[in-house]
Amino acid sequence: MNQVKIEQFGEIEAIKLGYGPIGPPFMSVYLYTVDGLVIDTGQRHMQKSVIDLLDKKKLQQVLLTHHHEDHSGNASAICKQHHIEACGHPLTVKKMATGFRILPYQRFIWGRSENIRLSTLGPAVESNRYKLLPVHTPGHSKDHTVFLEETNGWLFSGDLYLGQRIKYFRADEKIIDQIGSLKKVLKLDFDALFCAHNPCPQNGKSKLKQKLQFLEDIFGRVQKLKENGLSKKEVFNRLDPKTDRSIKLMTMGNVCFANMLASAYHCK
Ligand SMILES: [Zn+2]
């Protein structure tokens, strides 16, 4: 059963989209609209709902936090519908122009994004009333970018946060880069964290701080065991709680806790 829910956070409209062909959605994703800007575009499987919901709005520009298919899935359709452009980090531009491979589970849960020719983000994005500053935050993906609205203290954070104690990590994520990106973002001034899977309208900064602590703790523990001469397998045996088995199986190992340990182990 598909799910669509609209949540209002002051001026910001959050559209929650869940695709569930054989029961409740396995996972949902948010896109945000504010003053003609659309931040991320949801999954392709929910394209009809997205197009219908945005139909009456006067849109000016689409912004992508990164290329992943749950964020970029409807960029092309929205831009065609409203005759507007979409923008992203130069690496997002490249990915979306050529297209990228996704695994069967990703095709099942989200669907494949259409290729689109994006414009490269400038130093700031301006709507009539707001100014958003793009901040490059690699780690979850190389192209990952968040958008800061300083006056109101909003951070559109894509997949930078997700949760304080994350249980899953993609095989291509880099923990050390995520730690660096979290430190960079924590120097900025904001309170509301508009995460693409878990909006936190208040105390966003303390939530990000807790995530940073969690990642630093994992990183430190892995490095210490490595220094003590433990192999990667021994580190996994020591630290992997193995509570992620169904997800690990379904994603063929692409998403699991051990990927975070491996990413920490391979850092010098
Ligand atoms: Zn992502």
Side-chain angles (χ1 to χ4, degrees), residues 64-200:
L64 292 183
T65 58
H66 62 304
H67 70 279
H68 287 164
E69 65 284 352
D70 45 333
H71 301 255
S72 65
N74 301 305
S76 174
I78 296 169
C79 288
K80 280 181 198 154
Q81 179 195 19
H82 292 268
H83 307 288
I84 55 173
E85 66 169 7
C87 300
H89 184 274
L91 293 171
T92 317
V93 174
K94 211 168 153 187
K95 284 272 187 190
M96 293 308 298
T98 56
F100 52 94
R101 283 166 64 103
I102 57 172
L103 295 169
Y105 84 90
Q106 294 169 307
R107 207 167 301 142
F108 176 71
I109 298 174
W110 309 114
R112 196 181 174 78
S113 299
E114 273 173 89
N115 294 7
I116 175 174
R117 198 179 287 271
L118 302 177
S119 300
T120 303
L121 283 164
V125 177
E126 293 197 49
S127 67
N128 289 333
R129 299 199 297 279
Y130 305 111
K131 186 173 169 186
L132 271 61
L133 304 175
V135 182
H136 186 214
T137 48
H140 173 73
S141 61
K142 285 181 186 163
D143 61 337
H144 197 279
T145 299
V146 300
F147 296 93
L148 173 72
E149 208 288 331
E150 280 180 307
T151 313
N152 291 279
W154 301 331
L155 190 79
F156 296 95
S157 61
D159 284 349
L160 179 70
Y161 173 60
L162 304 176
Q164 289 159 26
R165 300 174 66 82
I166 49 170
K167 288 187 243 157
Y168 309 110
F169 215 67
R170 289 168 53 118
D172 56 352
E173 292 189 72
K174 299 273 181 287
I175 189 169
I176 194 73
D177 292 347
Q178 283 198 23
I179 288 172
S181 290
L182 285 166
K183 285 181 177 169
K184 182 178 180 181
V185 162
L186 283 167
K187 288 185 189 139
L188 306 174
D189 201 10
F190 66 93
D191 183 56
L193 187 66
F194 294 109
C195 171
H197 296 277
N198 181 12
C200 309

Side-chain angles (χ1 to χ4, degrees), residues 2-3 15-20 25 27-31 40-50 68-75 106 108-113:
N2 293 350
Q3 284 178 0
I15 303 177
K16 184 180 184 184
L17 301 154
Y19 173 69
M27 211 176 157
S28 53
V29 64
Y30 284 81
L31 67 82
D40 285 338
T41 66
Q43 66 277 56
R44 177 101 174 257
H45 285 332
M46 294 299 287
Q47 189 162 105
K48 193 181 173 316
S49 301
V50 171
H68 287 164
E69 65 284 352
D70 45 333
H71 301 255
S72 65
N74 301 305
Q106 294 169 307
F108 176 71
I109 298 174
W110 309 114
R112 196 181 174 78
S113 299

Side-chain angles (χ1 to χ4, degrees), residues 211-251:
K211 177 163 184 185
L212 174 63
Q213 268 167 20
F214 174 73
L215 292 184
E216 285 188 315
D217 176 50
I218 296 282
F219 186 81
R221 285 159 75 190
V222 170
Q223 286 288 316
K224 185 123 191 104
L225 292 172
K226 188 180 164 184
E227 277 163 33
N228 291 343
L230 270 72
S231 69
K232 192 164 83 177
K233 195 157 178 259
E234 286 167 331
V235 171
F236 284 7
N237 287 339
R238 205 61 86 85
L239 299 181
D240 187 353
K242 298 190 170 67
T243 51
D244 57 358
R245 285 326 192 233
S246 55
I247 303 290
K248 186 173 181 176
L249 196 70
M250 189 180 86
T251 63

